[in-house]
Amino acid sequence: MPEGHLLHRLARDQQELVGHAVTAASPQGRFAAGAAAVDGHRLEAVEAWGKHLLQRFGAAGTVHTHLGMRGITLRSAPPVLPKPQVRLRLATGDVAWDLIAPATCELLDDAGVDRLLAGLGPDPLRADADIGRVRQALRDDHRAIGTVLLDQSVLAGVGNVFRAEALHALGLHPSTPAADLDDGTVERLWAELVAEMRRGVEDGAIVTRPPSGKAVYKRDACADCDTPVVASALGGRTMYACPRCQPALTPSGRTG
């Protein structure tokens, strides 16, 4: 599933549509009513919040997209004929953006956008993100930090790769209770996520250990110490961690 950096990169790239009256169509037909509602309207803003893309058309509504596991976007300049499976095409005379196979593509009014955003935690890539909300949420959460990092109501935009790589960078075992992290550790974790995700926006990929790409994610051995990486289920996804760089807590609370 695309993580938040790719949605922010997409929002950045689609700024070329902002300020234009766009042609909207749904060749597939599954978003025909929504496309008709915004067709010919001026696209006022495109922004990302976590793994969600918001294309704002003022009074006509906001197109909300979540790519899910299979969703992709295609750009053509000048526009070419869309593929029949395109859920939504937004185009000017110079460029077209096609959305294919998203998990969600819906038209929201202002109240619907507010409800969506109310269920999301702060996004490390947004300038308006409030780390204080994150500190408070973790302080009261006794779940494993590896589980909490995938909870989009706590932190928006973090996915399986970023959680593995950020926890490794801080030497935190994924099973460490979130409530056990002091404020300084939370701030370092936040700063690591911000740095990694910003690099991801620029690179279009997650590269935390050039040239190997990742430190532990889907690696046989840790890029830092060559210890075999342990893969285990956590938070509904496979978690990757180095037992040497990220020692687990023992029942006494000590690393071991």
Side-chain angles (χ1 to χ4, degrees), residues 16-31:
E16 65 183 351
L17 297 174
V18 173
H20 296 277
V22 301
T23 299
S26 179
Q28 183 192 58
R30 291 183 59 184
F31 191 62

Side-chain angles (χ1 to χ4, degrees), residues 75-87:
R75 177 185 184 274
S76 57
V80 300
L81 288 175
K83 299 177 183 297
Q85 65 266 40
V86 169
R87 184 79 55 88

Side-chain angles (χ1 to χ4, degrees), residues 160-171:
N160 205 26
V161 186
F162 280 125
R163 75 158 174 177
E165 295 297 303
L167 291 176
H168 176 268
L170 265 69

Side-chain angles (χ1 to χ4, degrees), residues 19-25 34-43 57 60 89-91:
H20 296 277
V22 301
T23 299
V38 301
D39 183 39
H41 285 266
R42 179 178 178 271
L43 180 57
F57 289 89
R89 162 168 283 205
L90 297 178

